[in-house]
Amino acid sequence: MDNKEIVNILAVDDRPENLLVLEQYLSSDKVNIIKAVSGNQALGLILEHPFALILMDVQMPDMNGFETADLIRQSKKTREIPIIFVTAISKEDKFVYKGYQSGAIDYLTKPFDPDILQSKVKVFIELFEQRQHLIKLNVKLEKRVESRTHELRIAKEKAEEANIAKSRFLSNMSHELMTPLHCVLSSELLRLAFGNHGPQASEKENTIR
């Protein structure tokens, strides 16, 4: 995790001593444990911070872990946050199944092995970091595409302006070239029609006669 940003993990438990145990096992200079003592508090925190993982107790007053997980999954902004239930009471299979139905990716019972918990958490931290890296790459790519599109649009506009200027230039040149040519052609036609003396000479000859 060298040179990586600090990753947030949300620990939710109505017993402060349990939160302190999770913080003791998981907190480091790269991992920040944010604590919540109720489901309602947890819902507020996940709207304020990005979390790599949620560790949540099942049995809590007012709103239990399953209900909290259901609400988290209903929000587009938070539904992708992985949830691990950690409980000392609800160990029966029916609770485990309900935990997975609520969207949890794992269900741990207390007392748990700290090494196992740390290994599981490490996996989700790495996945979170990879996902954040991809998001940043996508943002950079979108900016590059937007910048390139802008450059191409400007180049197209300049090319169109150049074509218009070229057409005007050729039109003007054609007009300038055709004007003296018309004079030459007119003079030549008159010479052929009246001879070398032109129309005035012909009139004089007719007068003399």
Side-chain angles (χ1 to χ4, degrees):
M1 292 181 58
D2 294 339
N3 300 323
K4 297 293 181 65
E5 296 180 358
I6 294 177
V7 175
N8 294 324
I9 292 177
L10 178 61
V12 188
D13 198 308
D14 61 315
R15 297 175 66 88
E17 61 271 23
N18 291 338
L19 293 175
L20 289 175
V21 170
L22 291 174
E23 186 175 33
Q24 179 183 357
Y25 286 142
L26 303 175
S27 182
S28 69
D29 57 344
K30 298 296 183 181
V31 178
N32 179 39
I33 303 299
I34 297 179
K35 301 182 288 293
V37 295
S38 68
N40 284 322
Q41 186 181 11
L43 294 175
L45 288 170
I46 61 177
L47 296 177
E48 299 175 3
H49 307 280
F51 288 104
L53 178 66
I54 299 174
L55 299 171
M56 186 155 51
D57 187 23
V58 174
Q59 297 293 336
M60 294 186 293
D62 299 329
M63 184 187 301
N64 63 41
F66 299 143
E67 294 169 336
T68 305
D70 286 335
L71 292 175
I72 291 172
R73 291 290 173 258
Q74 290 177 23
S75 172
K76 183 178 180 180
K77 182 178 180 179
T78 60
R79 67 179 56 165
E80 300 299 327
I81 305 175
I83 299 173
I84 295 178
F85 282 116
V86 183
T87 181
I89 301 175
S90 305
K91 299 182 179 181
E92 295 89 344
D93 288 343
K94 64 178 181 179
F95 292 112
V96 176
Y97 296 147
K98 187 171 180 58
Y100 287 117
Q101 288 175 351
S102 300
I105 47 85
D106 209 343
Y107 197 100
L108 300 179
T109 57
K110 301 174 184 176
F112 54 79
D113 187 328
D115 292 333
I116 293 177
L117 177 63
Q118 291 170 350
S119 297
K120 291 178 181 292
V121 169
K122 182 180 178 180
V123 170
F124 290 105
I125 289 176
E126 291 175 351
L127 289 174
F128 176 79
E129 290 175 337
Q130 293 172 7
R131 186 165 60 250
Q132 294 299 108
H133 179 64
L134 289 176
I135 290 174
K136 290 179 180 179
L137 287 179
N138 286 335
V139 170
K140 290 182 179 179
L141 180 59
E142 289 175 357
K143 289 183 177 179
R144 289 181 61 184
V145 170
E146 182 179 352
S147 176
R148 184 56 178 163
T149 301
H150 179 68
E151 292 174 357
L152 291 174
R153 183 169 60 252
I154 293 177
K156 180 182 178 182
E157 292 174 354
K158 289 184 178 179
E160 291 174 349
E161 292 175 358
N163 285 333
I164 292 173
K166 178 182 177 182
S167 298
R168 289 176 179 172
F169 174 78
L170 292 176
S171 177
N172 291 334
M173 287 297 296
S174 176
H175 177 73
E176 295 296 329
L177 291 173
M178 291 301 293
T179 298
L181 182 60
H182 285 156
C183 295
V184 172
L185 290 175
S186 297
S187 298
E188 185 64 20
L189 289 173
L190 289 173
R191 188 186 67 78
L192 292 174
F194 299 101
N196 294 331
H197 300 291
Q200 295 180 351
S202 298
E203 290 178 358
K204 287 182 180 180
E205 292 177 359
N206 291 333
T207 303
I208 294 172
R209 291 176 185 173

